[in-house]
């Protein structure tokens, strides 16, 4: 899947994080990557996050998956929608939908949520805290787009759903297969299926909140801090009023915090691991059989390619001219020499064919073996 007709530079300059944009079928050739009954099957599986939203009359009801297979028999042909999270981790053709959006850094990408709706179905007027590209896969959906919302926007009283109490559409778009609607964070929207078999693929992004960043980084730092690393004042002098917390004491106390918080190197290493932690860490993707370096070399020399696990997150930070830190699935791998350009390729491509010469480099082979045996990379079957 790739774009044929989409000006990425203009999009980033004019719309990204700024305003909604309708991108009329920009694909070279659009094909819907997943059948509705395959999506329904995923919603019945343990370990797959899914939701069913029904609108009997004016009320909204939410059920969490896994759903019973016969749940679909009684839903009727109007006003319900099924939503399945992170379908890219289970369906390679859906994972492939992310590739053309790699103009956004890997660490910002969250997942592909897929919805199926019967006529009139939708999740109701709401806003999301993240950017989203809503790709119409099958059927038609009317999107009503409203203004900016935030935590103060009034919501309908509902225990499970965050639906806007006062939604007013400013724009209305009808999306047909292949059309993409970009919605920036905070912009209210309401998608209503027009007719049967409406499937929408949401490429969702992530943006850490300041409180999450501070809280999670501090938790990480606290784990290694020593209780006897304490305030000290060997230079204490008599002060006029013992009640005063002196300027020098405040400076020294404050520095105890800012010295730690201001450590950019420690922060960047932590953030690489933090942001590459899998979305569902409880999922075990390790291969049934771990391989050894000689089997790996043999396969690669025969020209077998390796595919990055769509559930794995690959990113890197350049530590200095000689060292690159590769972050995969919450782990840091230090790369030097020939492993550097190779790690860069791994972060930029989901399918890699290894140059025969590279199989002679121990650092590259050690990296590949580790990634393979963790389940972050797998051999690509030749007949695909
Ligand atoms: C949907 O696919 O129905 C909902 C997507 C969204 O509004 O974020
Ligand atoms: Co939304």
């Amino acid at each position: 899947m790739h774009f044929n007709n989409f000006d990425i530079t203009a999009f980033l300059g004019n719309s990204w994080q700024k305003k909604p944009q309708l991108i009329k079928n920009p694909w070279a050739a659009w094909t819907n990557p997943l059948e509705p009954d395959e999506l329904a099957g995923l919603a019945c599986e343990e370990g797959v996050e899914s939701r069913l939203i029904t609108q009997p009359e004016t009320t909204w009801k939410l059920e969490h998956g896994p759903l019973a297979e016969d749940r679909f028999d009684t839903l009727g042909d109007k006003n319900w929608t099924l939503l399945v999270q992170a379908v890219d981790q289970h369906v390679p053709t859906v994972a492939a939908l992310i590739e053309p959006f790699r103009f956004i850094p890997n660490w910002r990408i969250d997942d592909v949520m897929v919805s199926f709706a019967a006529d009139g179905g939708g999740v109701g007027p709401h806003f999301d805290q993240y950017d989203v590209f809503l790709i119409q896969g099958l059927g038609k959906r009317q999107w009503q787009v409203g203004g900016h919302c935030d935590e103060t926007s009034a919501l309908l009283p509902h225990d499970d759903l965050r639906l806007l109490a006062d939604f007013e559409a400013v724009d209305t778009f009808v999306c047909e297969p292949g059309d993409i609607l970009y919605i920036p964070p905070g912009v209210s929207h309401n998608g209503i299926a027009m007719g049967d078999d409406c499937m929408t693929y949401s490429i969702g992004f992530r943006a850490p909140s300041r409180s999450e960043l501070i809280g999670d980084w501090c938790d990480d730092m606290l784990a290694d801090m020593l209780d006897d690393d304490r305030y000290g004042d060997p230079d204490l002098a008599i002060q006029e009023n013992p009640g005063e917390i002196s300027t020098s004491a405040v400076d020294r106390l404050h520095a105890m915090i800012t010295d730690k918080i201001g450590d950019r190197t420690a922060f960047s290493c932590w953030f690489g691991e933090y942001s590459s932690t899998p979305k569902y860490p409880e999922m075990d993707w390790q291969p049934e059989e771990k391989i050894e370096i000689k089997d790996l070399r043999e396969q690669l020399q025969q020209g077998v390619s390796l595919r990055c696990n769509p559930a794995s997150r690959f990113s890197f930070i350049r530590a200095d001219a000689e060292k690159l830190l590769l972050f995969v699935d919450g782990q840091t791998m230090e790369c030097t020499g020939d492993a550097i350009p190779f790690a860069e390729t791994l972060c930029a491509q989901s399918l890699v064919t290894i140059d025969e010469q590279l199989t002679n480099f121990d650092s590259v082979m050690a990296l590949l073996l580790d990634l393979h045996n963790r389940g972050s990379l797998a051999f690509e079957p030749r007949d695909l």
Side-chain angles (χ1 to χ4, degrees), residues 235-296:
D235 53 352
L236 187 67
I238 300 168
Q239 46 183 71
E240 220 171 89
N241 185 332
E244 182 178 2
I245 305 169
S246 69
T247 310
S248 65
V250 173
D251 286 347
R252 193 173 283 173
L253 289 160
H254 191 228
M256 285 174 77
I257 297 171
T258 52
D259 286 356
K260 271 278 175 197
I261 298 264
D263 186 342
R264 195 184 178 284
T265 306
F267 172 78
S268 59
C269 295
W270 168 79
F271 186 74
E273 293 188 359
Y274 175 74
S275 60
S276 68
T277 300
K279 187 175 170 82
Y280 301 103
E282 63 287 356
M283 290 285 277
D284 182 7
W285 296 100
Q286 284 181 47
E288 271 164 32
E289 268 182 54
K290 295 209 164 47
I291 55 163
E292 298 198 7
I293 205 116
K294 67 170 187 4
D295 309 317
L296 176 68

Side-chain angles (χ1 to χ4, degrees), residues 51 81-83 113-117 121-124 126-128 132 134 141 143 183 189-192 198-202:
R51 288 167 292 161
T81 183
L82 169 72
L83 303 119
M113 180 187 81
V114 186
S115 70
F116 173 87
V123 302
H126 68 282
F127 70 98
D128 301 300
V132 64
L134 300 153
R141 184 184 285 274
W143 285 103
I183 305 278
H189 52 285
N190 185 26
I192 305 157
C198 170
M199 281 184 90
T200 306
Y201 298 77
S202 306

Side-chain angles (χ1 to χ4, degrees), residues 2-21:
H2 62 275
F3 295 137
N4 197 10
N5 184 18
F6 178 32
D7 185 341
I8 293 170
T9 311
F11 167 79
L12 289 176
N14 303 327
S15 303
W16 174 251
Q17 297 242 303
K18 299 167 200 74
K19 58 170 202 223
Q21 184 180 328

Side-chain angles (χ1 to χ4, degrees), residues 94-377:
V94 173
L97 275 186
I98 300 179
E99 293 313 306
F101 294 94
R102 295 272 176 210
F103 58 90
I104 314 278
N106 295 353
W107 72 268
R108 291 280 270 120
I109 297 172
D110 187 15
D111 71 343
V112 185
M113 180 187 81
V114 186
S115 70
F116 173 87
D119 187 26
V123 302
H126 68 282
F127 70 98
D128 301 300
Q129 284 168 316
Y130 312 105
D131 310 82
V132 64
F133 288 101
L134 300 153
I135 309 172
Q136 191 61 24
L138 201 64
K140 272 199 226 175
R141 184 184 285 274
Q142 185 200 64
W143 285 103
Q144 300 169 337
V145 178
H148 254 278
C149 296
D150 59 29
E151 276 149 307
T152 62
S153 305
L155 300 179
L156 288 177
H158 198 291
D159 290 341
D160 309 307
L161 295 169
R162 295 175 53 79
L163 298 173
L164 289 165
D166 314 299
F167 173 74
E168 251 179 73
V170 179
D171 272 314
T172 300
F173 306 100
V174 173
C175 282
E176 295 184 271
D179 292 347
I180 304 175
L181 179 63
Y182 165 73
I183 305 278
V187 172
S188 57
H189 52 285
N190 185 26
I192 305 157
M194 298 170 78
D196 298 336
D197 282 354
C198 170
M199 281 184 90
T200 306
Y201 298 77
S202 306
I203 315 273
F205 294 85
R206 305 184 289 163
S209 69
R210 195 190 300 255
S211 70
E212 213 181 306
L213 271 185
I214 295 177
D216 291 352
W217 188 34
C218 286
D219 281 348
D220 186 78
M221 284 194 291
L222 286 175
D224 298 328
M225 276 188 210
L226 301 172
D227 204 36
D228 50 14
D229 176 10
R230 271 172 199 271
Y231 179 81
D233 48 6
D235 53 352
L236 187 67
I238 300 168
Q239 46 183 71
E240 220 171 89
N241 185 332
E244 182 178 2
I245 305 169
S246 69
T247 310
S248 65
V250 173
D251 286 347
R252 193 173 283 173
L253 289 160
H254 191 228
M256 285 174 77
I257 297 171
T258 52
D259 286 356
K260 271 278 175 197
I261 298 264
D263 186 342
R264 195 184 178 284
T265 306
F267 172 78
S268 59
C269 295
W270 168 79
F271 186 74
E273 293 188 359
Y274 175 74
S275 60
S276 68
T277 300
K279 187 175 170 82
Y280 301 103
E282 63 287 356
M283 290 285 277
D284 182 7
W285 296 100
Q286 284 181 47
E288 271 164 32
E289 268 182 54
K290 295 209 164 47
I291 55 163
E292 298 198 7
I293 205 116
K294 67 170 187 4
D295 309 317
L296 176 68
R297 187 169 279 126
E298 213 173 272
Q299 294 268 3
L300 297 177
Q301 284 172 346
Q302 284 170 20
V304 177
S305 306
L306 286 164
R307 183 172 290 280
C308 299
N309 180 349
S312 296
R313 295 177 155 150
F314 287 71
S315 299
F316 69 83
I317 283 176
R318 290 183 209 284
D320 55 50
E322 269 101 56
K323 193 164 75 186
L324 176 145
L325 301 176
L326 173 67
F327 304 103
V328 186
D329 293 332
Q331 307 281 331
T332 307
M333 289 154 190
E334 281 194 17
C335 302
T336 52
D338 303 299
I340 292 184
F342 181 66
E344 288 169 346
T345 308
L346 277 182
C347 290
Q349 283 169 217
S350 56
L351 185 68
V352 274
T353 306
I354 283 83
D355 195 89
E356 216 191 313
Q357 243 193 335
L358 271 183
T359 61
N360 298 319
F361 295 127
D362 291 345
S363 57
V364 172
M365 292 308 284
L367 178 64
L368 280 178
L369 189 73
D370 192 14
L371 291 170
H372 176 276
N373 288 343
R374 283 176 196 278
S376 312
L377 281 179

